[in-house]
Amino acid sequence: MDRYNFKSTEEKWQKFWDKNKTFKTKKDLSKKKFYCLEMFPYPSGKIHMGHVRNYTIGDVLARFKRLQDFNVLHPMGWDSFGMPAENAAKENNLDPKEWTEKNISAMKTQLKRLGLSIDWDREISTCSPNYYKHQQLFFLELYDKGLVYRKENYVNWDPVDQTVLANEQVIDGRGWRSGAQVERKKLNQWFFNISKFSEQLLNGLNSLSEWPNKVKTMQKNWIGKSFGCEIDFRIEGDLPVKNIKCFTTRPDTLFGFSFLALSVDHPLSKHYENNQEFKIFKEECSKTGTTEESIAQAEKIGFKTNLQALNPFEPNIKVPVFFANFVLMDYGFGAVFGCPAHDQRDFEFAKKYKLNIKTVVRPKDKEDDFQVKDEAFVEEGLMINSSFLNGLKTPGEAIEKSIDYLTKNKLGNKKINFRLKDWGISRQRYWGCPIPIAYDENGDIVKVPKEMLPIKLPEKINLNTKGNPLDHQRKWKEIKINGKKCNLDTDTLDTFVDSSWYFLRFCSPENSEYGFDNEDIKYWMPVDQYIGGVEHAILHLLYSRFFMQALKFKNQNFISPEPFQGLFTQGMVCHQTYKDEKNKWVSPDEVFTENGKDYFKIKDKKKIIVGPSESMSKSKKNTIDPEKIMDQFGADAVRFFILSDSPPEKDVQWSEQGMIAAYKFIQKFWILHKEITKEIVNKKRTDKDMDLTIYTNKLIEKFTFSLEKFNMNVLIAYLHETYNFLSKEIKKLDIKDLEKNYTKILILMFPILPHLISECLNDIKNSNTISWPSARKEYLEDKYVNIVIQINGKKKSLIKIEKNLDDKDLLENVKKDKKVSNFIDKKRVFKHIIVKNKLINLIVK
RNA sequence: GCCCUCGUGGUGAAAUUGGUAGACACAAAGGACUUAAAAUCCUUGCCCUUUUGGGAGUGCCAGUUCGAGUCUGGCCGAGGGCACCA
């Protein structure tokens, strides 16, 4: 018997799909649409196992929906701007454009080899002027709507390379390339006013019922809505300052007020510009970097001013004002009122600077003389030492009452605050979308007119310059707008902007007037199922949601603003890690094992230290190259394996054994298939035996159910089960409707193993128009059912019996059962519970 | 510290949502076929018993229920997210 030749078969079908444009999609209002989208890849040059998993899951779904007669949009593109291209180009003296294009063509070939059902005619690439032209127009549109603005912001600055560093380029406070101490530097940058939509972005989460709760929770926390009030503190001291505004969620603890802390970037700091000590203090603070996390890890320090703040509840009590490193200018007003007794951070600060610690909340089970000792008391409780608040429950009553008091006395107002900050979109880099803004000779902002778009990136420029590469392009920068000489902005847009609207572009990839066509997006949007890694749970997904809000803003005709109706986040692909005796990472290709426990280096037979399984990454060298695996086992086998071992939302362990098992399954299924085809043709079977019909209908039911629930690993189990069933069944003499049932089974398998099953269906010759089968209820149950017999809730026996027997007959039959009669002999059955056609529980004493 | 998720054999995992725990696969041991190997197939899998059979059992402890992997409360452990957020 011939073995299944995956190589020629897979090539054959891929060519067939390509030639016939099988997956080309057109708008068709007569059909229900299904937009299936996987997060598009960065063209690094080679696909990795994470891509294989992501795109296989999506492809199974897309093919399934197509068989269910949906009009399926399943496109693919390239997130092709970004730093790796710029870095690679710098290192090897290449052009980022050429490097990127070469990578795209290599990866496209690899993706095609996976047998994905993609409409390649809709392919887009974000680094193409055809794409970013529209992005520049969106930028201007948002600018006109007042959703883009310019402000100063801090960045990580590498003083040696004269360049801005991304957070991941800062390692232990030093630049990754130069090793120089990174500084905080203020730069003028563009911002999207995402915080304007905080409320909408938060509320929108409620409508996303097909999103994982985990992701919704993460976004909710990120947006961070908090209820409280703003308080205007009166200030006395040696400066011409009368008030400082604070935001607080705990106005109830004002009677425990013992200091006021300001951010070093607070406007008041300008009065201390010439103060040497303050300068040193501020520098100390600036070493901590710009991320919130690095600020957090620093020790709490303060700088005492000569100012005093008055307690709004008791104006005769005055407390010191500090600058402190733990106060962030970005949040609230850059000022915090400190109540050490009921905030751990304030407590530590007060201890350090020996400030007053007054207890104003007691636990419910303690007396009124309760005093905070070793740590702040932050839980619910009752108010004490707080005049008109005494005895009230807090939070809750006490907060309400204190806000009432502040409002009545014009000392403060109820306020809702969000943690979400505006989105800084300027990047001091070459390989990104140019910002369509110029500056005239006075430095005033001039919009680039629509007709002049796109502002194209200059090609083949020298990247080994200090600072921002575009800044050196004197000719490129010069632009004449309405007869005025201007200079272009030399920053480029954050690549998250590119990916915030690409799903719209896929709906009308060829529209040259605008980023999309309104009619197209009305038909295709929202994305019915979006699939990608959980690492994008916050930024990419939130930015995309913002982009939709921004397009909808002042435009009533725009579609409903949630872009992704369904979201699925798949887990990572993991592999064991290996290290040699020098503690260097070793790749799986370089090691061998005989017993599965002890590993050795192939080269010198030296022992390898086996580390824990971790997600595949180049830096740990624990990657498996999908291309090599496809050479060895074929695309169908890889698809089969990558779905088989774990539920798709969880991490999966790469296993050589598992991969081989997948390959074997395909081989043995092919042999079985040949046998079945022969049986179909040679012997006309009579139609007495219903086993296959019942099995097939049950399979259709549970297979469809699991597929819709994304339980892909269970699907694979069903396929194994089906193989086992069929290989026994085929030995029987009588099988009813073999061809009909077998064809249905093949169609179920098709989305997972498209090449193999295309070939199989081709053999049966009725595969012209295939569609997803539906189960017929009358075949779902046999005449007989298995009834579980429990005694006092414990399983004792199992009987096969006629279906739908009435309770009396059932009970009689049950009592006849040997095992049961052994048990209930001499005992009295005083109750029984029956679950129809399933179970009977006898209660005996 | 706060929030979320998850704890099931040697391993990855199923369990139709409160009704046969361990489907399916990997690994292991034993066996069949074979001169032999490979491939393939079958059996086994915790405890007691020679077998028939019986018992325990889904991280731990309680509870609800005729019946709990599934529901409730507490504890222990692992993973992820957020964070001096005022």
Side-chain angles (χ1 to χ4, degrees):
Chain A
M1 173 101 46
D2 285 342
R3 302 196 99 197
Y4 172 65
N5 186 332
F6 69 81
K7 200 165 183 285
S8 61
T9 310
E10 291 183 354
E11 269 172 22
K12 171 180 138 190
W13 288 102
Q14 283 164 19
K15 266 187 200 152
F16 177 86
W17 296 327
D18 247 0
K19 204 177 131 200
N20 290 283
K21 300 232 176 218
T22 311
F23 309 115
K24 190 169 171 71
T25 312
K26 277 188 197 140
K27 194 162 66 180
D28 177 355
L29 294 169
S30 69
K31 271 188 172 181
K32 268 173 93 181
K33 66 95 183 177
F34 191 89
Y35 188 174
C36 178
L37 183 67
E38 297 102 59
M39 291 180 181
F40 66 163
Y42 179 81
S44 57
K46 273 191 161 192
I47 61 167
H48 53 69
M49 278 301 168
H51 292 129
V52 172
R53 196 174 194 206
N54 191 177
Y55 300 143
T56 301
I57 293 168
D59 195 54
V60 169
L61 185 71
R63 286 179 181 270
F64 165 60
K65 289 290 171 184
R66 201 170 272 123
L67 286 170
Q68 282 191 324
D69 206 33
F70 282 90
N71 190 26
V72 175
L73 175 58
H74 188 215
M76 184 58 73
W78 309 97
D79 190 12
S80 50
F81 270 139
M83 290 204 314
E86 203 162 329
N87 293 335
K90 267 187 195 171
E91 268 156 34
N92 307 315
N93 231 354
L94 297 163
D95 182 41
K97 186 173 172 235
E98 281 169 17
W99 184 85
T100 303
E101 280 169 358
K102 207 181 90 208
N103 287 347
I104 287 177
S105 96
M107 282 175 78
K108 190 172 168 182
T109 310
Q110 291 186 315
L111 289 182
K112 283 197 168 182
R113 271 193 73 186
L114 261 179
L116 304 177
S117 60
I118 283 165
D119 179 1
W120 284 105
D121 286 353
R122 287 177 187 259
E123 180 180 1
I124 59 175
S125 175
T126 58
C127 72
S128 149
N130 280 335
Y131 183 85
Y132 67 69
K133 167 184 165 184
H134 304 291
Q135 189 159 309
Q136 292 174 341
L137 191 61
F138 286 137
F139 182 97
L140 295 172
E141 199 181 303
L142 263 54
Y143 182 86
D144 290 339
K145 288 181 179 179
L147 299 175
V148 186
Y149 67 97
R150 208 162 151 76
K151 77 166 181 194
E152 282 204 315
N153 193 53
Y154 288 100
V155 293
N156 300 309
W157 181 255
D158 185 323
V160 173
D161 280 358
Q162 294 279 298
T163 183
V164 176
L165 300 175
N167 287 331
E168 64 267 23
Q169 292 174 324
V170 181
I171 297 152
D172 297 328
R174 291 175 179 276
W176 66 326
R177 234 183 254 277
S178 69
Q181 185 88 44
V182 172
E183 296 169 1
R184 283 178 87 206
K185 192 179 167 181
K186 255 188 177 178
L187 271 188
N188 234 326
Q189 297 188 274
W190 289 102
F191 283 81
F192 278 157
N193 191 359
I194 181 170
S195 63
K196 186 185 181 83
F197 300 101
S198 300
E199 195 71 60
Q200 287 93 320
L201 291 170
L202 186 66
N203 286 337
L205 294 172
N206 295 328
S207 68
L208 299 174
S209 60
E210 293 170 52
W211 277 40
N213 284 328
K214 186 170 91 173
V215 174
K216 285 194 277 191
T217 309
M218 279 162 72
Q219 291 216 355
K220 198 179 151 201
N221 293 340
W222 188 262
I223 294 167
K225 185 177 186 176
S226 50
F227 301 85
C229 69
E230 63 175 81
I231 301 173
D232 220 358
F233 286 91
R234 262 184 63 202
I235 300 295
E236 289 177 0
D238 56 358
L239 290 178
V241 182
K242 284 188 177 158
N243 299 292
I244 293 178
K245 265 191 186 169
C246 270
F247 172 75
T248 179
T249 54
R250 296 294 305 271
D252 54 321
T253 62
L254 263 173
F255 284 101
F257 180 36
S258 79
F259 65 94
L260 192 78
L262 306 175
S263 161
V264 289
D265 302 316
H266 193 274
L268 263 186
S269 68
K270 70 170 187 280
H271 296 288
Y272 297 86
E273 268 167 359
N274 298 320
N275 182 324
Q276 204 52 40
E277 270 178 71
F278 181 73
K279 262 190 194 165
I280 294 167
F281 174 74
K282 195 173 168 177
E283 225 178 87
E284 200 59 38
C285 294
S286 75
K287 274 182 194 160
T288 43
T290 53
T291 68
E292 292 180 5
E293 198 187 347
S294 55
I295 292 168
Q297 273 160 5
E299 195 202 340
K300 273 150 264 195
I301 48 173
F303 174 87
K304 198 176 172 195
T305 68
N306 292 324
L307 301 175
Q308 290 192 307
L310 275 59
N311 190 327
F313 285 173
E314 327 170 80
N316 52 325
I317 295 192
K318 298 170 186 178
V319 303
V321 177
F322 284 84
F323 286 101
N325 64 339
F326 60 83
V327 184
L328 305 161
M329 196 56 221
D330 292 321
Y331 189 78
F333 298 100
V336 181
F337 101 76
C339 174
H342 306 290
D343 181 300
Q344 188 56 31
R345 176 206 53 202
D346 294 350
F347 183 84
E348 283 166 36
F349 191 79
K351 281 267 171 189
K352 178 160 182 171
Y353 294 99
K354 300 201 168 61
L355 302 169
N356 192 23
I357 299 174
K358 181 181 167 193
T359 306
V360 294
V361 182
R362 69 162 169 88
K364 280 176 184 150
D365 55 353
K366 292 269 164 65
E367 298 300 318
D368 273 0
D369 58 0
F370 168 77
Q371 279 209 343
V372 162
K373 255 190 176 168
D374 302 320
E375 55 175 10
F377 174 70
V378 295
E379 281 153 60
E380 287 178 20
L382 298 171
M383 300 304 302
I384 51 173
N385 305 324
S386 296
S387 166
F388 63 93
L389 295 174
N390 280 342
L392 293 176
K393 277 186 201 157
T394 186
E397 290 172 5
I399 291 183
E400 261 174 55
K401 187 138 190 197
S402 33
I403 294 178
D404 277 354
Y405 181 92
L406 290 164
T407 314
K408 268 182 201 152
N409 294 285
K410 304 209 160 132
L411 298 160
N413 282 306
K414 197 170 191 168
K415 196 177 178 206
I416 287 164
N417 210 23
F418 290 94
R419 175 186 177 274
L420 183 63
K421 292 178 212 164
D422 279 342
W423 173 15
I425 48 173
S426 295
R427 295 290 182 272
Q428 295 67 40
R429 320 237 162 251
Y430 164 69
W431 194 233
C433 171
I435 296 172
I437 290 286
Y439 306 91
D440 64 17
E441 281 163 338
N442 304 321
D444 289 333
I445 292 167
V446 181
K447 289 192 293 174
V448 174
K450 193 184 161 186
E451 312 77 65
M452 292 177 79
L453 298 183
I455 298 295
K456 285 192 190 173
L457 273 181
E459 288 183 24
K460 292 183 180 150
I461 70 164
N462 179 14
L463 289 169
N464 282 313
T465 52
K466 294 216 160 162
N468 187 347
L470 287 178
D471 217 16
H472 297 270
Q473 301 301 308
R474 217 181 286 163
K475 269 195 185 160
W476 176 82
K477 278 200 295 190
E478 283 171 9
I479 187 171
K480 244 188 189 171
I481 297 174
N482 301 329
K484 266 203 291 188
K485 263 193 187 171
C486 299
N487 273 315
L488 283 168
D489 197 310
T490 54
D491 286 349
T492 51
L493 290 174
D494 178 7
T495 55
F496 272 119
V497 181
D498 308 342
S499 54
S500 295
W501 68 281
Y502 78 109
F503 45 89
L504 295 171
R505 186 66 184 161
F506 277 136
C507 300
S508 349
E510 276 161 22
N511 195 359
S512 58
E513 291 303 304
Y514 195 65
F516 51 83
D517 178 277
N518 262 319
E519 293 308 308
D520 287 340
I521 65 164
K522 260 180 200 153
Y523 178 70
W524 288 115
M525 287 296 288
V527 173
D528 294 272
Q529 188 63 58
Y530 196 34
I531 305 164
V534 73
E535 66 273 20
H536 291 114
I538 299 175
L539 295 183
H540 164 59
L541 292 169
L542 192 68
Y543 291 157
S544 299
R545 296 180 61 222
F546 157 75
F547 215 87
M548 295 287 281
Q549 292 285 349
L551 289 171
K552 173 102 188 164
F553 186 63
K554 295 186 180 173
N555 177 4
Q556 290 311 308
N557 288 326
F558 193 73
I559 52 166
S560 121
E562 286 301 336
F564 311 119
Q565 190 177 339
L567 175 70
F568 188 87
T569 52
Q570 98 270 1
M572 291 183 288
V573 185
C574 300
H575 195 282
Q576 276 184 331
T577 46
Y578 305 110
K579 278 185 175 181
D580 63 15
E581 75 282 357
K582 285 173 198 153
N583 214 29
K584 274 194 172 169
W585 299 106
V586 180
S587 123
D589 296 341
E590 301 171 80
V591 306
F592 73 97
T593 178
E594 270 157 11
N595 56 8
K597 278 181 194 164
D598 304 308
Y599 286 75
F600 301 92
K601 215 170 182 174
I602 292 170
K603 230 186 191 173
D604 52 18
K605 306 267 188 296
K606 276 188 180 158
K607 203 160 177 176
I608 287 288
I609 302 147
V610 179
S613 181
E614 294 183 62
S615 71
M616 289 187 180
S617 79
K618 274 186 199 164
S619 62
K620 285 173 194 142
K621 283 202 175 177
N622 61 340
T623 56
I624 298 288
D625 180 7
E627 190 147 44
K628 275 190 193 162
I629 297 293
M630 282 195 277
D631 287 342
Q632 215 178 334
F633 303 105
D636 280 341
V638 183
R639 293 167 66 110
F640 190 90
F641 169 70
I642 206 78
L643 297 175
S644 68
D645 267 15
S646 294
E649 69 275 12
K650 278 177 62 176
D651 286 354
V652 66
Q653 183 68 35
W654 179 266
S655 138
E656 176 89 20
Q657 296 298 340
M659 189 56 241
I660 292 168
Y663 176 76
K664 279 184 188 166
F665 175 84
I666 287 168
Q667 289 299 336
K668 68 186 188 182
F669 189 86
W670 178 249
I671 293 166
L672 178 66
H673 164 76
K674 284 295 173 197
E675 212 178 312
I676 292 175
T677 341
K678 215 163 67 192
E679 295 297 322
I680 291 172
V681 176
N682 291 349
K683 293 181 200 165
K684 287 285 175 211
R685 301 274 175 152
T686 56
D687 53 350
K688 281 178 198 160
D689 193 308
M690 296 295 288
D691 287 356
L692 178 64
T693 306
I694 289 167
Y695 181 88
T696 305
N697 280 281
K698 280 185 181 169
L699 181 69
I700 292 168
E701 173 120 314
K702 60 187 187 180
F703 200 92
T704 311
F705 180 77
S706 293
L707 181 42
E708 264 160 3
K709 276 183 37 184
F710 271 90
N711 292 338
M712 310 271 181
N713 54 327
V714 179
L715 298 185
I716 301 295
Y718 290 155
L719 295 192
H720 280 293
E721 208 175 59
T722 302
Y723 170 87
N724 294 341
F725 176 83
L726 284 176
S727 59
K728 281 189 190 108
E729 184 73 9
I730 198 67
K731 291 185 183 118
K732 280 188 181 172
L733 288 174
D734 295 334
I735 303 174
K736 187 178 158 63
D737 295 333
L738 174 60
E739 179 174 348
K740 224 161 120 187
N741 286 314
Y742 180 58
T743 308
K744 285 180 185 172
I745 290 173
L746 287 177
I747 295 169
L748 297 181
M749 296 172 74
F750 178 75
I752 296 168
L753 304 166
H755 310 91
L756 172 71
I757 302 301
S758 291
E759 193 68 18
C760 293
L761 284 167
N762 212 32
D763 280 347
I764 300 181
K765 291 188 178 77
N766 64 356
S767 56
N768 294 336
T769 51
I770 55 168
S771 64
W772 198 254
S774 49
R776 293 184 54 178
K777 288 226 170 70
E778 65 264 38
Y779 296 130
L780 287 182
E781 297 277 356
D782 210 339
K783 264 198 217 160
Y784 295 91
V785 285
N786 289 323
I787 303 280
V788 175
I789 305 171
Q790 295 182 340
I791 290 171
N792 293 338
K794 286 190 176 173
K795 182 193 160 197
K796 291 295 172 194
S797 187
L798 187 74
I799 51 170
K800 193 170 185 180
I801 207 163
E802 250 175 279
K803 205 182 160 185
N804 294 329
L805 220 58
D806 61 41
D807 291 2
K808 210 176 129 193
D809 291 342
L810 176 67
L811 201 59
E812 213 127 284
N813 274 293
V814 164
K815 281 182 181 172
K816 274 186 218 154
D817 186 73
K818 258 189 191 169
K819 288 177 195 167
V820 173
S821 59
N822 279 344
F823 255 92
I824 58 174
D825 208 25
K826 296 176 198 163
K827 286 175 188 167
R828 191 170 61 95
V829 179
F830 67 92
K831 195 181 173 185
H832 61 261
I833 289 106
I834 291 172
V835 181
K836 194 96 184 161
N837 292 328
K838 247 185 189 170
L839 173 144
I840 177 164
N841 188 8
L842 304 173
I843 313 301
V844 302
K845 251 187 184 170

